Amino acid sequence: MKVVVCFLLFIPSTCLAGNEAHLKGEKLKVLWTDIEDSEIHRDAEELWKEASAAKKKTYNRVLTFEAEEHLVYVDNLDPSLVPLTSAGPPAQASYCLEVRKNGICVNEYYIPRTDYHLVIEGSTLPLVSFPKLPTWDGPKEQGIDTSYICVFLPGELSSRSVLLYPSLRDLAPPGGLVVHQLCKSFDMKSLQYSETVYNCLHFINAKGVVPVVPIPTEYIVGDLVAAWAYAELSTSELMLPSFDQLLGPVASSVTRRQAENAFQYIISRYTALCHLSSIKHGGLPMMPCHTNHASAIQRCLPPTLDFDGNSSIYSSSGFDDDDFEFKDPTKLIGGLCKAHDNMKLVAELRHGKFDLSLVEPYGELLSILTYDIQDIKELPDELPTTMNHLEVLELHSAKALQTFPANVGIMKRLKKLQLKENHLSILPPAIGECTMLEDLIIYRSYIEELPASLVQCQHLHRLTAHTMLLSKLPEGFGKLPHLVELNLSSNPLQGLPRGFGELPSLKILKLSGVPWMEHKQYDLGQYEKWHKKHPQNSKVLSEEVMLALFDKCDKDKTGELNDKQMAALNAHLFYMVPRIGHKSQDGATAGSLPDEIFQLRHLEELELQYQAITTISSRIGQLRSLRSLNLSHCLRLESLPGALGELPNLQSLGLKGCATLTTPPVEVVSHGVDAVIAYLKKLAAGSTENWRTKLMLVGLGGAGKTSLLRALMDKDHKTRPLRKEDITDGIDITKWTVQRDNISITYSTWDFAGQTVYYNTHQFFLSQRAVYLLLWTVRLGYEHAGLDFWLSSIQSHAPKAPIFVIGTHCDQVEKIDLPKSKLLKLYPQIKGFHFVSCTEGSGIAELETAIVDATLRESYMGEKVPTVYLKLEEKILVERKEGSGVIEWVKMRQLALQSGISEEKEIKSAVQFLHDLGTVQYFDNDFLKDHIVISPQWIVDVMACIVSVKDSPIKDGYFRHSDIGQVWSTYPCHLHHWLLRLTEEFDLTFPLPDQPVNIVPCLLPQTEPDFSFLAEGDPSTMKETIMLYKFAYLPAGLFNRAQVRLFQFTNGEMIWKHGSLLTKNSNRALVHQQSEKELMVRVRGPRPENFLFLLHEVLEALIAESFQGVSYDFLIPCPDCLHTFGINDPCMFPASLIKLATDKNVPFLQCHKHFHTMSMPILQESLPPENSGDLDAQMSDNMRILNELRQDLSQDLFISFHPSNVPEEKGDCVNPLDVVADLEAAGYTCWKRELTESNPHDRMIALKDAKLLVVFMSSEYEQDEAHRTTFVYAKDVLQKPFVIVTVGDDAWKDTELGCAIGPQEIYVNMKHVRLYNQKLEELKTIVKRKLASLQKDGMPLPCFVSYSWSNSRSAVSRGTRHIEGALGAGDPRKIKEFLESKGIPCWLDIEQVGQSGLYRDISLGIKEASVIVACISDQYANSVNCMMELRFATCRLNKPVVFVVVGTGDEWLYGELGMLIERSRAPIVNLQHEGSDPGCESLATLVQEKVEEAERMLEQRLPQKSASAPAAVITMSFHEEYELTQRKFLRHVSMLLVGADTSLYPRLFLIDFSRRAEGRYQRSESHASAASTLGQTVTDMRHVSWRDGGRSLDTASTDWVRQTLTVKLLCEHDKGWHCAKQELPLAGMSTNEKVKLVESSAAFLARILILMKHSGINLNCMMGNDGDSFVYFVNKHAKESTEDFANAYNSLWKELRARDTSRTMGGLRRCHLPTGQIRWLCRVHSEVAHIRVLSSDVAMAKEHKPMLDEKDRLMSGYINEYANAIEQWPALSAEEKNKLLSASKHRIAPKLKISTAQKKLLKVPQTSTTVDDLDGNENPDFARTLPLGKVASRPVTPKLSATLSWPGLTHEVVSKEMLRQQAAARFGLQQQTSAACVIL
């Protein structure tokens, strides 16, 4: 492209070959030749002379600009530039530079195509390339209004010649310039397009406005706003699609091209003047931005014009009042033309068509089109022609779209095409003509084949074809040279085309198969919905086949599928939907990957979830760049190759749900990716098939275990009776080898002692890799054999291991009675019952055969194990035989080296593997890691020394450290303390804090001591909560081990064998084993929820870690029973019931005690969060509580003083503490703790919440860094108002701090005691005045209006997304205005939020309101945040409510909202339809009555008002609530890090700025709260905004991209997270890389930033303008992103892990807490007593969520069963289909008859009609039939919840069908009345 220098140019002589003499010494000149007499010329010459004289600087580089793109500044121009006339252009991309002098071309040169700068005297002055949008926010930072942007052009272009060939006189006519306002469409463009999308400004077809007063020159060419506007127009392609009004009469005489060229030339002249004007300021960035730019221009314009800061100088009458669409092409509204304004405002196209008239004539000026087109079936064929310059086309929610314009190829500039959720069946072949296409994203579509022409899109960078019907790819697909990312997930693909492996740039390949249904219970309705959401299934599963499949799996015909039935159905889906690995017609080997994948040598990420592969070829070792491989849910995958372990960059490996995987073993997989890689690496060096397992013999003492073992090993299967000395003591381990079909099976036999003293140690050795023989003596009978104890114990620790129940001494009993059927039902892992006689040998041979058969069926038999691991084990066994029970790590390292394992990390992996097999016991923490136990018997003996009661110094469970030598007298002294720590690791003992005593819980007394459970403190501040655990079997040792893990909360006094009294802060907990099957946890205190949650996590983790087979449920109390009715024995809701009701979308459950209803969201708050939705709902409640507590904690004054200014004795100095006391006596609340006396977190929160800062300033204060920093932070960052009290000398005034305060600040001089009283009064006056200025205007607003933005026509007109059916006659914002016109002040979000943060503002508004006006609708009911407001008001605060029906729908009747209305028994006013004024009058009357009633009640309560809780209690409550929120968040994050996905790395982190943002500081709550709802944390961040998805966020600022980003890792300390000292800078990231990283992780970042707002951490990214911009951007994309929380978190976590190549981990350490939990802590917190630092190389198994759950195993079993018998499902006839649907419907919602009594109660007209008769109307429009104008009061009825009182119904579940029936019955009456307001 040619670059023409159009204004200033100075060419160094060295650059002009052949013209040196002519130009040598030439000075900078203006390039025009006809400017001698021009005023402009004189100004330019003067500017140049002034700049030269003042700065004396020489320009020695070329300043040019590129004609079609950006302004380019040449820096470091190469003297050897190649002239155009010589060898031709260079190979690399370049610009062509034309050098002119006096308009004559001197020469042409090629210069490198790059960014340039202007260099002055060797220092680079970076000049802004204006079209790059991120830099165009300078004026905004300085408070400049950029909503009005205009240029100034000649007003007298009277002829064609003047227009086309203007002189300078024409450009500065005597008549002056006219004003042309521009469409500032850059507001429509997000950052990610800023470097590729142009035409930020453009003209509209309108006449220029003639000023009535001359506009000052400095506003024309001397202002940055004008300069940027001219430069933007000069450097962009200027387009004038319509110009008749713009040019006037001249327009008819010129062509469009001539007009555009003329305007381009004229604009370039003014651009040159702006650059000349900038010289004296040091360049364009330094030009002044006049804060009154817009208003100054306004004053020069005719006063009749309509103008304000947010509108146009033109009238806004372009709006059509009927449809809110901007019609007039000659007008601007809000600074936007018709096309850009309509693209902004009309978020959803209406009327079922795409109306191109909305954008004409400016369609071609659109660069971006992002639309929701929910009801549009086809796009007009003219769209590509009308918008032929589109670069980004995104069509969302196009659920009705069936066709796409066939002429799409016209859009040659198209770079991104995104089509989400549509019904397209074909993609036009013309897409191949869009040769500039870079991103093609299609999601949820019915397209079966991609067009072959797609391979013509040679610039294609990313292709996403997700959730479609693709069964193959077009041939030639490998010819896309720039394709980097390919996402073909959820398509029924079975192979890849030839040549696919030739893709040279492909780095990311996602080939996940079609997912099956989630493992949960489904009814037919849910099943149908799932099928509709997954169109891929429709290709192979018709509706009839789908229904038949459901009916076949529904064996018991209940209309629901349980876990087993769902597993069977999913197994059928696995085979019926094509997958990679299934048998295919292309000859590929079944179970293998396509060979083409292994040719992609640059591949970095590969996803293959949900496929049918059985093995991975060793050719995967060719993918040397591979970093991430995801094979999750490949249920037939059996083994991984050793070559996978040799990949140098592999960091992530997903193996979740791989049920049949045997190599590597599940034990290795559970330790993380590092362990897997180490295992596979050694496997590649050599492997051995492992045919061995354990044979565990258990039972009571004397059952014959040793005799049976000897009989099995004897060739005659007989043995002699044992002598007394042969009885087993502890564990006896031997080997037994059996031959079967040329396979040698080796058993490691473990003969457990049967004495009860060893029962507490057995639990540590019961393994899943074992066959169990449970022996009992038939002579004693079944009742005395203890079989249930042993079976339950084995089931708890090894739930899948085979068990044989063996009766011994059968020769001595004729008849044996054993309830086999009962035992098999209770313990399905029993594989057989045998009766043997060891002395006679009867039954032994049969038993041996059964044992071997069961062994060979175990999946781990025959697995490949690295040979070096087995060699190491052999050497360890040799050491064991030589008598060693424990060896040092140094010795283990020697054995490993001898076995061929050299690296320390690999040695740990090998030892950990042998630990999992039971060969050794190794604990990888800082205290125990130096020794390894190699003999299980040695450990048993160590434990026996403690648990043995014979001659033991341990009395009543107290193990005094002074007795260690006696207890372990036979062990070396240097091991004694190591052994004590070992008992703690085994949860056998725990240390008492600050006492030389360990408690042994299993030896504690059985008797419960006398104690008081009531916590200390004011009873009015106390709350109580309960959790009851019910076990099918409570294993021995579980409760005692839980006591050990909770030792830090006890002093050892109130503890007994079956209970503990625990204390945390002021909360007290009683943990009590009530019976053999129940465990009760009761917590009481000011804030008991956190303590209860902590206790639950400890029990939950212990069970998951060591008692996997335990079956239990936990129950939570009814909140109303506890807090409303105050009963000690509340109704208890099982967690399983709540989860079931949640799955069924049941809105309420019924309480047994008082038969009231409980809202499901309130019950769910008491359960631990299981998914992101639960976390969001609970975080929203936690945030609300935190805001309330902070409000209670907030003080009037934050007092800051230096300790040295507090005199020791009264004297001549004023004591700051005396001043504080007097201020408190005056009624002010003060926070006065000094820095050294307070917790940093508390201090920072107090500083943020305090209204006013009072600083006792002195030189000591100024010189102290901590105090100085506190003051500067409060002043500059928090912008906290302050008062300075001087108490020392005045030297501080001359310091930097004194200058920052400034002389204008008023000081209170308190240096002299004699003037104390006078100065105190002066201080009080100042404090009073400043506090008064901070108070809110007026009293609390009595009426709180709660509504959904989607129901407000006013909100929709301003950008809220329009939803079909959401706009009725009633507008909530108009309702608010109407109520205020009646004298009722109202709280409305858009007027009130942003003062103290969103949560605090809303919760405070509700709390202070006398009445809530809830504008209810379908959209309101679907809004998580609206419903949260309503629940808070009605269920928690019991506020009076008036419900106002808006919108047009009635689905709200049938859900939770309808139930809340019933619960509140509040009046309802219907304002859905026109003519609702009488209803408004009724509403005003109702609201006024509620307000007056609330005021009367308040007056009655005032005398009895109780004092608030003490500050210490509130502070403690805040810490507990914040810790609870952090605990929930960390729990959820930990659940996301599954199994072997990645190696070990800290779990908490966030993105911050590496330095504090520059510019004006302000509270970050403004943006963070107004856009952020993270705090409110919605259920689906992608579709819900802080209100309800309504507000458009397209104008999100992007100032933050100029900041350098860094990642801060967080220490996970329970008492408050904080940033680790070492950061991970993200230096060198481009703008797009920053944006992509933040966008992809926004769903995670938004939540954690909300959490950080309540911490004492000061984050740079939450301060200043850039911080506001960052938080706003994060929240915007958190709502819009397609990534959910899990994906957002994992993507950032993996990115962070990949960047931290040196593994600094922020200096954090992986630690094992006394509670058994794993935390990443800083050095300080990791060195606290009883915290054990772990290795960061090999994970503990309990750190990972199980890779395989029971439902995966069930499905895997069915897959194997169906492998050779795939059924073809016949289609159903219409009659069979209707029969199935009808039967299923009646099973789900049975017909209910309403009795006469019930009809009377419900006021239903007494007819013979059943409620089911109403089902014929799917959407009964009850609300619409309510007449308007009157209020129908409701007679008093007995307090009975009719909704839940149907005879014969269970109390637990209320279905939506029931709600529909009852609502229909109730509103049936209202159809016959004439009431506008129905009071329910």
Side-chain angles (χ1 to χ4, degrees), residues 1387-1407:
W1387 193 104
L1388 195 72
D1389 51 9
I1390 59 173
E1391 300 171 354
Q1392 302 296 328
V1393 296
Q1395 300 179 43
S1396 305
L1398 178 66
Y1399 284 129
R1400 191 175 303 184
D1401 290 335
I1402 290 179
S1403 61
L1404 185 62
I1406 294 175
K1407 289 175 67 176

Side-chain angles (χ1 to χ4, degrees), residues 1453-1470:
L1453 283 168
Y1454 315 125
E1456 182 188 2
L1457 180 54
M1459 297 292 286
L1460 283 172
I1461 295 173
E1462 176 69 22
R1463 176 190 174 103
S1464 66
R1465 307 182 69 79
I1468 300 180
V1469 177
N1470 186 352

Side-chain angles (χ1 to χ4, degrees), residues 1810-1830:
T1810 65
V1811 178
D1812 263 353
D1813 293 334
L1814 296 172
D1815 285 346
N1817 185 358
E1818 271 303 305
N1819 294 295
D1821 199 3
F1822 300 118
R1824 294 191 182 190
T1825 60
L1826 301 182
L1828 304 168
K1830 296 182 181 180

Side-chain angles (χ1 to χ4, degrees), residues 729-778:
D729 184 18
I731 299 177
D732 188 13
I733 303 175
T734 57
K735 277 191 176 182
W736 174 40
T737 302
V738 181
Q739 291 294 130
R740 171 72 71 87
D741 298 332
N742 298 322
I743 297 176
S744 180
I745 304 171
T746 301
Y747 292 94
S748 176
T749 63
W750 292 49
D751 183 1
F752 285 84
Q755 296 84 356
T756 56
V757 69
Y758 294 112
Y759 286 179
N760 282 299
T761 61
H762 288 175
Q763 58 180 303
F764 304 116
F765 304 104
L766 299 181
S767 168
Q768 190 72 42
R769 283 176 168 256
V771 177
Y772 288 86
L773 305 183
L774 172 54
L775 280 69
W776 64 290
T777 304
V778 296

Side-chain angles (χ1 to χ4, degrees), residues 1512-1754:
V1513 174
I1514 300 175
T1515 301
M1516 182 277 299
S1517 298
F1518 178 84
H1519 285 305
E1520 288 290 302
E1521 189 67 27
Y1522 189 60
E1523 181 182 325
L1524 172 63
T1525 310
Q1526 289 183 329
R1527 196 178 298 280
K1528 290 178 179 179
F1529 190 87
L1530 182 57
R1531 169 194 172 91
H1532 184 64
V1533 162
S1534 301
M1535 292 171 62
L1536 302 180
L1537 298 176
V1538 178
D1541 285 339
T1542 45
S1543 56
L1544 295 172
Y1545 204 77
R1547 300 170 294 191
L1548 292 178
F1549 43 82
L1550 49 82
I1551 293 177
D1552 195 12
F1553 301 158
S1554 61
R1555 59 185 177 85
R1556 183 171 296 173
E1558 297 177 356
R1560 177 178 56 85
Y1561 284 116
Q1562 63 184 38
R1563 290 180 184 266
S1564 60
E1565 271 113 344
S1566 57
H1567 273 310
S1569 58
S1572 91
T1573 61
L1574 286 294
Q1576 290 202 238
T1577 35
V1578 294
T1579 300
D1580 187 346
M1581 301 290 297
R1582 295 166 294 183
H1583 303 297
V1584 186
S1585 78
W1586 75 268
R1587 290 292 299 178
D1588 59 335
R1591 192 164 47 168
S1592 172
L1593 296 175
D1594 289 338
T1595 58
S1597 177
T1598 54
D1599 303 3
W1600 62 270
V1601 295
R1602 58 189 163 203
Q1603 294 289 336
T1604 301
L1605 302 183
T1606 186
V1607 173
K1608 292 182 177 178
L1609 291 91
L1610 301 181
C1611 170
E1612 300 171 1
H1613 188 50
D1614 276 345
K1615 294 186 178 180
W1617 303 339
H1618 65 86
C1619 295
K1621 290 186 178 181
Q1622 299 181 32
E1623 300 179 5
L1624 186 64
L1626 301 178
M1629 295 186 72
S1630 67
T1631 295
N1632 283 343
E1633 288 173 334
K1634 291 178 186 178
V1635 170
K1636 185 176 181 180
L1637 179 65
V1638 175
E1639 274 186 354
S1640 64
S1641 55
F1644 163 72
L1645 288 175
R1647 290 169 171 87
I1648 198 169
L1649 288 178
I1650 281 293
L1651 202 52
M1652 291 298 100
K1653 285 181 62 180
H1654 291 283
S1655 73
I1657 302 175
N1658 297 322
L1659 297 174
N1660 297 329
C1661 68
M1662 299 180 75
M1663 301 177 188
N1665 284 344
D1666 288 359
D1668 290 347
S1669 166
F1670 179 77
V1671 175
Y1672 192 83
F1673 184 88
V1674 167
N1675 292 327
K1676 171 185 182 292
H1677 288 281
K1679 301 176 185 74
E1680 298 177 348
S1681 173
T1682 58
E1683 298 289 343
D1684 58 14
F1685 182 97
N1687 291 336
Y1689 173 81
N1690 280 311
S1691 66
L1692 183 56
W1693 193 84
K1694 292 176 181 178
E1695 177 71 19
L1696 175 60
R1697 172 67 185 84
R1699 284 180 173 270
D1700 191 4
T1701 54
S1702 58
R1703 301 273 289 174
T1704 61
M1705 304 186 190
L1708 299 178
R1709 297 172 166 185
R1710 185 168 142 266
C1711 299
H1712 187 257
L1713 303 189
T1715 57
Q1717 298 166 309
I1718 305 297
R1719 293 284 188 269
W1720 288 86
L1721 303 178
C1722 65
R1723 180 174 293 275
V1724 173
H1725 289 132
S1726 66
E1727 293 176 351
V1728 175
H1730 308 299
I1731 289 181
R1732 298 188 285 277
V1733 178
L1734 305 175
S1735 166
S1736 298
D1737 296 328
V1738 180
M1740 300 172 69
K1742 65 183 177 182
E1743 289 181 79
H1744 296 279
K1745 190 177 178 181
M1747 301 298 298
L1748 191 67
D1749 59 25
E1750 180 60 27
K1751 296 170 184 177
D1752 292 321
R1753 291 190 179 94
L1754 282 172

Side-chain angles (χ1 to χ4, degrees), residues 950-1173:
K950 184 178 179 181
D951 300 326
S952 174
I954 302 174
K955 304 300 182 184
D956 293 333
Y958 279 72
F959 181 6
R960 305 186 187 282
H961 295 179
S962 58
D963 296 327
I964 287 181
Q966 183 179 349
V967 173
W968 287 310
S969 58
T970 59
Y971 295 87
C973 293
H974 71 275
L975 285 179
H976 285 177
H977 284 284
W978 187 87
L979 293 175
L980 186 62
R981 285 292 188 95
L982 187 65
T983 64
E984 295 172 11
E985 190 71 31
F986 276 101
D987 294 330
L988 193 62
T989 75
F990 67 85
L992 287 181
D994 303 323
Q995 298 184 49
V997 175
N998 271 45
I999 297 294
V1000 187
C1002 64
L1003 299 181
L1004 287 169
Q1006 301 267 3
T1007 307
E1008 179 178 328
D1010 294 331
F1011 64 91
S1012 174
F1013 175 62
L1014 297 179
E1016 298 178 358
D1018 183 0
S1020 64
T1021 65
M1022 296 296 162
K1023 297 192 298 182
E1024 186 172 314
T1025 187
I1026 308 168
M1027 194 169 284
L1028 177 65
Y1029 296 83
K1030 289 191 174 183
F1031 295 83
Y1033 164 74
L1034 184 54
L1038 189 154
F1039 181 76
N1040 291 147
R1041 291 184 67 178
Q1043 286 179 303
V1044 171
R1045 297 193 175 191
L1046 296 170
F1047 78 84
Q1048 59 186 307
F1049 304 110
T1050 180
N1051 58 9
E1053 296 177 1
M1054 295 302 168
I1055 184 170
W1056 64 104
K1057 189 169 185 177
H1058 298 298
S1060 294
L1061 186 64
L1062 311 174
T1063 302
K1064 183 178 187 293
N1065 293 331
S1066 298
N1067 299 293
R1068 184 169 291 183
L1070 175 63
V1071 185
H1072 183 212
Q1073 182 178 339
Q1074 298 187 143
S1075 67
E1076 294 182 354
K1077 293 187 177 182
E1078 286 189 353
L1079 191 156
M1080 171 72 79
V1081 179
R1082 186 183 294 268
V1083 187
R1084 181 178 175 81
R1087 188 65 54 175
E1089 295 84 1
N1090 179 46
F1091 201 7
L1092 179 66
F1093 191 85
L1094 184 153
L1095 298 174
H1096 174 75
E1097 279 195 313
V1098 171
L1099 287 168
E1100 182 184 50
L1102 178 60
I1103 293 170
E1105 175 189 340
S1106 301
F1107 303 91
Q1108 300 93 335
V1110 168
S1111 176
Y1112 74 100
D1113 196 3
F1114 61 93
L1115 295 81
I1116 62 171
C1118 169
D1120 278 1
C1121 287
L1122 281 180
H1123 308 306
T1124 303
F1125 301 104
I1127 60 177
N1128 295 326
D1129 185 23
C1131 169
M1132 301 296 289
F1133 291 102
S1136 57
L1137 175 65
I1138 298 174
K1139 293 176 182 177
L1140 176 63
T1142 302
D1143 291 340
K1144 300 293 183 185
N1145 295 318
V1146 174
F1148 284 85
L1149 293 182
Q1150 189 173 32
C1151 170
H1152 291 239
K1153 298 288 182 178
H1154 289 83
F1155 300 99
H1156 56 271
T1157 57
M1158 284 306 304
S1159 172
M1160 282 298 300
I1162 293 178
L1163 290 174
Q1164 288 173 312
E1165 290 173 5
S1166 301
L1167 298 182
E1170 299 295 335
N1171 51 54
S1172 297

Side-chain angles (χ1 to χ4, degrees), residues 1731-1790:
I1731 289 181
R1732 298 188 285 277
V1733 178
L1734 305 175
S1735 166
S1736 298
D1737 296 328
V1738 180
M1740 300 172 69
K1742 65 183 177 182
E1743 289 181 79
H1744 296 279
K1745 190 177 178 181
M1747 301 298 298
L1748 191 67
D1749 59 25
E1750 180 60 27
K1751 296 170 184 177
D1752 292 321
R1753 291 190 179 94
L1754 282 172
M1755 183 176 171
S1756 178
Y1758 283 113
I1759 285 176
N1760 293 332
E1761 178 183 339
Y1762 300 157
N1764 298 315
I1766 304 302
E1767 299 185 47
Q1768 297 297 324
W1769 296 95
L1772 296 180
S1773 65
E1775 182 180 354
E1776 290 173 326
K1777 175 182 175 182
N1778 292 333
K1779 183 178 179 181
L1780 174 61
L1781 290 171
S1782 176
S1784 178
K1785 175 181 178 181
H1786 285 282
R1787 285 196 295 268
I1788 297 171

Side-chain angles (χ1 to χ4, degrees), residues 113-166:
R113 186 164 187 163
T114 182
D115 291 331
Y116 296 98
H117 296 76
L118 181 64
V119 177
I120 302 176
E121 289 188 350
S123 61
T124 300
L125 177 65
L127 296 184
V128 178
S129 179
F130 283 102
K132 297 183 179 180
L133 296 181
T135 61
W136 175 237
D137 279 312
K140 293 182 182 178
E141 286 188 1
Q142 303 177 39
I144 305 302
D145 179 14
T146 59
S147 61
Y148 173 63
I149 297 178
C150 61
V151 292
F152 311 92
L153 298 179
E156 299 178 2
L157 299 175
S158 56
S159 67
R160 183 175 183 274
S161 60
V162 171
L163 172 66
L164 299 182
Y165 310 105

